[in-house]
Each structure stands twice: as C-alpha cells, then as structure tokens.
Amino acid sequence: MIVIAVIAGAWAWISTLFRKGMTALLGFERVGVQSFETVLLYRNGWFEKALPPGRHWIGAGSRQVARIDKRPEVFRFAQGAVSADRMAVHLVYVARTQIVDARASFESTQNYRDEISIRVQSVVKAVCSRKPRLEIQMDHQSFSNNAQKAANQALRAIGCECLTFELLQVDSAGPIAEFDTRRMGFAAE
C-alpha cells in the first residue's frame, strides 16, 4: 500500500514538472497577459501590482487575478432630451470609449459599461440643455466636440476616456408643454 502511494505521489510530481515546469513545483504560477489587456494582482483583497503584456511568474498563494480588456468599445444610443429653447429632441449618437487606467476602472464601479452608459447619457442631456434645437440639428460637429470633451471629464473618474463622439441623427419632437401653475391650483398667494 505504501509503495503504491509513493509511486502515485512521484507520478503526480513528475507530471506537474513536465506540464507546468520547475517553478510550479516551487509554488509559482504562470500568467500570460495579452497585448490588449492588463492583469491586476490582489493579495488578500489589497492591490499588489498591475502586470503589463507578456509572461509572468507569480506566487500561487492567496492572490486574486483580474483581467482588464483595454480595447476600445463602441456604444450606440438613442436618447430624448430637451434643448435650451425648451424643444424636445430625439438624438441618435455613437461614443467610442477605452479604459486608460485599469485599476481605477476595476475598483471604481461594479460594471464599468453601465457606468459609461449612464455618464455619457447625462453628458448629452447637459450639452443639449445649453444649445437651441436648431443649432443641435444644424451643427453636428460642434455638438459632438462639446459632448466628447464633457464625456472625457465625466469618464476620467472611472479610468476611461471618450475617444470619439459622433452625433448621427437629430429629430425634433416639438415644444415641451409648459405647465401653468395657476391652472393646476398652485397659485401663489
């Protein structure tokens, strides 16, 4: 029985040696990082370091690994907003974003894609509120430039940037109804 256990243990040791190499037997693990990603290492929940592209040997202990894909992403939106002259507009636009700080992106939000969506839509709503409807409809480039600058400021806090912003289409939905407070029974006394 003891002989069988020794043979099985030796076999496991030799197979590990051939599959993973000598460093695996010493308690290390090989991590391959692609050219488009960053790998974040955490030890016991605390950030340790970011691994750049290439092959790395890390201690196998109590480490957690987070892979962050840094390739650009494209978001397409259809959104309603109100212009500075109180006209309802329907916008179709595209924002191309990218993670520039992997750690900030990973630690600042649970789902950075949802956070990007919310922040970009808020920026567009704010830019619309400062421009009249006709200017939004006629000068897409100016609107896109302003929205991109504002989106960069909003996304910086979560480790992202807006690479491009393009307003594709603007439709006017008409004036926003102004409520007369006297007719609603809220007349000031």
Side-chain angles (χ1 to χ4, degrees):
M1 205 61 152
I2 294 176
V3 174
I4 294 173
V6 169
I7 292 173
W11 175 254
W13 188 81
I14 291 171
S15 67
T16 301
L17 177 65
F18 284 117
R19 279 186 291 123
K20 295 187 177 183
M22 181 59 100
T23 52
L25 293 175
L26 300 174
F28 288 91
E29 181 181 342
R30 183 175 68 193
V31 175
V33 182
Q34 302 294 326
S35 62
F36 56 83
E37 69 182 352
T38 297
V39 171
L40 304 176
L41 291 178
Y42 290 85
R43 180 187 293 254
N44 297 323
W46 294 97
F47 177 74
E48 189 172 294
K49 64 181 173 178
L51 300 178
R55 285 188 177 170
H56 305 275
W57 288 98
I58 61 170
S62 57
R63 287 200 167 108
Q64 299 83 33
V65 175
R67 291 185 180 274
I68 308 298
D69 190 334
K70 294 177 74 176
R71 291 178 285 191
E73 285 189 71
V74 176
F75 294 87
R76 187 175 194 279
F77 299 97
Q79 174 182 351
V82 178
S83 65
D85 54 356
R86 309 285 299 151
M87 298 292 284
V89 291
H90 182 75
L91 309 164
V92 177
Y93 57 95
V94 175
R96 187 170 188 244
T97 66
Q98 184 173 21
I99 294 174
V100 291
D101 183 352
R103 182 177 177 196
S105 175
F106 183 72
E107 292 180 357
S108 65
T109 181
Q110 204 171 34
N111 185 335
Y112 79 93
R113 287 179 180 96
D114 286 347
E115 190 70 28
I116 287 172
S117 295
I118 296 296
R119 289 178 185 232
V120 169
Q121 289 177 11
S122 294
V123 161
V124 169
K125 183 178 175 184
V127 171
C128 276
S129 70
R130 293 188 302 264
K131 293 186 175 280
R133 177 193 54 87
L134 193 57
E135 185 179 332
I136 295 169
Q137 285 182 314
M138 301 304 288
D139 191 4
H140 287 206
Q141 188 61 44
S142 173
F143 184 91
S144 295
N145 290 342
N146 290 338
Q148 182 180 355
K149 286 177 190 173
N152 271 329
Q153 290 176 343
L155 297 178
R156 189 174 299 132
I158 60 168
C160 299
E161 74 175 346
C162 183
L163 300 173
T164 61
F165 184 97
E166 185 177 356
L167 182 60
L168 301 173
Q169 180 180 345
V170 180
D171 295 322
S172 179
I176 300 297
E178 294 289 336
F179 293 108
D180 187 357
T181 56
R182 288 171 289 172
R183 285 190 289 172
M184 296 181 68
F186 300 115
E189 306 259 339

